């Protein structure tokens, strides 16, 4: 008889243990810092594709948040070894299915920005993260001349600052539940 009274509790515990992704859906703050490591040779120049943000939601003023890693940006810039290219923070609903956000910095011209990229996030026990950023060089008329690319994926722990290295470009990422 005692077993039947404990059964709902046992089922709840079992479901929590065997379905960790089911409780992971929710609202998160995502923060990224894209920077250049001075002294490193840039990757082979190429051009960002015309539809670099295909199917992605945009970081807008409605979902943008105050960055929490400003002290880290100050340290990077003060070292003289790094050039910070982009620092953004936003809130985003993340679940077990990948959610893609487009992030930009600078004045856009002809569909491109000086810094542009997409971030794909999916939450389970860890956060699966795919970054695809372009640092673009444009001529005086705003036409894209060349691009440097950072394409990296990782599995990161929620709430921890993670460093992704890609030659001359690097990315710091933090995904925290709100």
């Amino acid at each position: 008889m005692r077993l039947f009274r404990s059964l709902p509790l046992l089922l709840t515990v079992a479901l929590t243990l065997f379905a960790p992704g089911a409780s992971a859906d929710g609202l998160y703050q995502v923060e990224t810092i894209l920077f250049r490591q001075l002294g490193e040779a840039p990757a082979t120049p190429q051009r960002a594709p015309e539809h670099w943000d295909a199917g992605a939601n945009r970081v807008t003023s409605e979902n943008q948040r105050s960055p929490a890693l400003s002290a880290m940006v100050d340290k990077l810039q003060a070292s003289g070894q790094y050039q910070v290219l982009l620092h953004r923070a936003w809130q985003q609903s993340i679940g077990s299915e990948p959610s893609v956000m487009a992030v930009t910095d600078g004045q856009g011209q002809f569909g491109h920005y000086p810094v542009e990229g997409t971030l794909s996030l999916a939450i389970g026990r860890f956060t699966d993260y795919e970054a695809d950023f372009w640092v673009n060089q444009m001529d005086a008329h705003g036409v894209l001349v060349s691009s440097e690319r950072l394409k990296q994926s990782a599995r990161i722990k929620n709430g921890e600052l993670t460093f992704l290295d890609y030659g001359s470009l690097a990315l710091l990422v933090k995904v925290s539940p709100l």
Side-chain angles (χ1 to χ4, degrees), residues 19-162:
S23 63
D25 291 312
L27 204 54
Y28 291 80
Q29 175 155 325
V30 180
E31 189 163 357
T32 61
I33 303 169
L34 176 69
F35 58 97
R36 178 174 278 119
Q37 300 179 83
L38 302 176
E40 293 288 327
T44 305
Q46 49 188 305
R47 287 193 178 154
E50 288 300 315
H51 302 289
W52 60 271
D53 60 346
N57 295 314
R58 292 234 175 215
V59 173
T60 64
S61 59
E62 289 84 36
N63 59 8
Q64 195 163 346
R65 295 292 173 252
S66 296
L69 300 174
S70 296
M72 179 65 69
V73 169
D74 294 341
K75 286 180 183 178
L76 287 169
Q77 291 175 329
S79 74
Q81 297 177 8
Y82 308 102
Q83 175 190 13
V84 175
L85 304 168
L86 174 129
H87 182 205
R88 290 282 182 275
W90 65 92
Q91 79 176 25
Q92 175 181 352
S93 180
I94 304 173
S96 57
E97 293 299 315
S99 169
V100 183
M101 294 295 284
V103 185
T104 62
D105 192 52
Q107 184 65 37
Q109 296 183 357
F110 304 113
H112 287 286
Y113 295 82
V115 179
E116 59 194 22
T118 58
L119 303 162
S120 174
L121 296 165
I123 299 266
R125 186 169 178 199
F126 294 97
T127 302
D128 290 325
Y129 189 96
E130 290 185 33
D132 192 4
F133 277 94
W134 299 89
V135 179
N136 297 319
Q137 301 299 316
M138 297 179 198
D139 68 14
H141 304 289
V143 176
L144 183 64
V145 176
S146 69
S147 304
E148 191 176 353
R149 186 179 193 186
L150 177 146
K151 184 171 176 70
Q152 190 72 275
S153 62
R155 178 164 279 173
I156 60 178
K157 286 186 177 181
N158 297 335
E160 287 189 8
L161 184 61
T162 303

Side-chain angles (χ1 to χ4, degrees), residues 1-19:
M1 189 67 157
R2 187 177 207 164
L3 176 63
F4 292 116
R5 280 188 251 154
S6 309
L7 193 56
L9 177 61
L10 290 172
L11 285 174
T12 302
V13 170
L15 287 174
T16 303
L17 290 175
F18 294 111

